[in-house]
Amino acid sequence: MPVSQEQADWFADAVAQLIANLDQAILGKHDVIKLVVTSMLTGGHVLLEDVPGTGKTVLAKSLANSIEGTQSRIQFTPDLLPSDVTGVTIYDQSTGAFQFHPGPVFASVVLADEINRASPKTQSALLEVMEEGVVTVDGTPHPVGTPFMVIATQNPVEQAGTYSLPEAQLDRFLVKTSLGYPDRQTTVNLLLDASNRTRSDAVKPIIQASVIASMIQLAAEVHTDAAVMTYLSDIVDRTRQDSDASLGVSIRGALALARAAKVWALADRRTYVTPDDVQALAVPVLAHRIILDPEAEFTGVTTQNIVERALAAVAPPTTRVA
């Protein structure tokens, strides 16, 4: 069923309120906050990669506080076990039956702090639930419900005792972004409020988890013209043809960009996707899914360069496809 303009206005107003609520804790990072909110309303997950002390954890906790759902935090360490994340089945002597005890992954918003510090075996415990929204323990599937979002953080500088995220896991993150250092005025404002050590606690719930689930469903109904989707497909294909890439964007990445573009359009009060929506989201949604050729990486080429070259090489459509 087509999305009405009234529904688009309601959606955009809700997104604006959510972003404004997060702005209380994360100052001067409106664009990054919008990306994270977009990911949540796409039903996707976010990887925040940045140096220490830039507010990655504060952003994740603030988003969790903004919705009236459940939240959990998992501090990833080398000795963390998969069952510490997903839960475990325990034999109950009083009933004579095995009973499943859910792990911290069963929450509306899950903060996976320093995800690259856990072993690959523990990291893989998130693969199924991030893709399918289900945790299978001892052959029994356990749905985590909707909304469900993983916000993972990692420090790209400190590599001692860390494990690189495998390509299959990176591909499950809708967006990879970073906060970066604040500008001069924002830094001064933070210093003046230095006594406030719990900025995320000031963020109060303003929207119910059930409403987030409805917004996810509504965004899925946004109209996408075949010409725009062909444009998106050509961009993805171009990343695969780039000589500096040993592996281009997967079909999962293309689908992620299409879904994110729908949310981006609806947040702009439009009931249809434009090439501008695709261009605005291409780098944060696609770049982390590309694997560079080792020689290209040595010469300083980045995955962002490859996406930008694809955008420059593919002309956006000027007419609709009948």
Side-chain angles (χ1 to χ4, degrees):
M1 184 176 179
V3 178
S4 68
Q5 188 58 52
E6 183 181 0
Q7 289 175 312
D9 290 338
W10 168 79
F11 186 98
D13 289 339
V15 169
Q17 292 173 15
L18 194 53
I19 293 174
N21 202 45
L22 294 173
D23 277 335
Q24 299 177 69
I26 306 295
L27 305 181
K29 297 297 178 181
H30 182 87
D31 292 342
V32 177
I33 291 173
K34 186 178 179 181
L35 271 177
V36 173
V37 171
T38 296
S39 182
M40 180 177 67
L41 297 176
T42 308
H45 313 286
V46 174
L47 178 61
L48 295 174
E49 183 179 80
D50 218 328
V51 295
T54 53
K56 301 185 298 294
T57 303
V58 174
L59 174 56
K61 291 181 68 176
S62 298
L63 181 62
N65 290 343
S66 293
I67 66 173
E68 294 182 359
T70 56
Q71 58 176 288
S72 64
R73 175 177 177 172
I74 309 172
Q75 186 65 52
F76 279 70
T77 56
D79 59 348
L80 192 72
L81 299 176
S83 58
D84 295 330
V85 176
T86 60
V88 64
T89 301
I90 299 177
Y91 182 74
D92 189 340
Q93 291 185 340
S94 62
T95 60
F98 285 93
Q99 184 176 2
F100 177 65
H101 292 257
V105 78
F106 286 84
S108 302
V109 179
V110 178
L111 171 57
D113 215 0
E114 296 188 277
I115 189 172
N116 55 335
R117 291 201 173 277
S119 68
K121 182 178 182 180
T122 300
Q123 290 180 18
S124 66
L126 289 171
L127 292 177
E128 180 188 26
V129 69
M130 289 177 67
E131 180 69 16
E132 303 173 23
V134 171
V135 172
T136 301
V137 178
D138 294 334
T140 303
H142 303 276
V144 294
T146 303
F148 170 71
M149 181 183 191
V150 174
I151 302 179
T153 70
Q154 67 175 5
N155 176 4
V157 177
E158 213 174 289
Q159 296 301 318
T162 64
Y163 303 85
S164 298
L165 296 183
E167 288 73 23
Q169 179 134 10
L170 283 172
D171 207 24
R172 281 166 168 77
F173 286 102
L174 182 95
V175 165
K176 179 182 178 183
T177 187
S178 62
L179 286 164
Y181 291 118
D183 58 34
R184 183 170 180 267
Q185 186 56 53
T186 302
T187 301
V188 172
N189 293 337
L190 287 169
L191 293 174
L192 290 172
D193 193 31
S195 60
N196 185 0
R197 294 176 176 269
T198 55
R199 300 190 66 86
S200 59
D201 291 346
V203 177
K204 304 302 181 184
I206 62 167
I207 191 167
Q208 295 181 347
S210 58
V211 176
I212 295 294
S214 299
M215 293 175 74
I216 293 173
Q217 293 176 356
L218 181 63
E221 302 299 323
V222 171
H223 174 71
T224 51
D225 188 77
V228 178
M229 291 300 100
T230 301
Y231 173 61
L232 189 158
S233 177
D234 289 345
I235 292 171
V236 168
D237 189 56
R238 196 79 182 190
T239 67
R240 300 167 185 162
Q241 298 174 13
D242 196 296
S243 59
D244 288 334
S246 60
L247 184 66
V249 176
S250 67
I251 187 62
R252 182 190 284 124
L255 289 168
L257 181 53
R259 292 166 183 154
K262 291 184 176 185
V263 174
W264 201 262
L266 206 54
D268 197 33
R269 303 184 187 277
R270 284 181 285 106
T271 60
Y272 55 90
V273 174
T274 68
D276 289 341
D277 299 319
V278 175
Q279 293 168 6
L281 292 164
V283 170
V285 174
L286 301 182
H288 64 283
R289 307 171 191 271
I290 298 171
I291 299 178
L292 286 172
D293 180 87
E295 291 186 8
E297 189 173 8
F298 181 75
T299 60
V301 176
T302 65
T303 56
Q304 179 174 336
N305 294 149
I306 293 177
V307 176
E308 290 171 345
R309 290 203 294 244
L311 289 170
V314 180
T318 56
T319 58
R320 298 178 61 182
V321 175

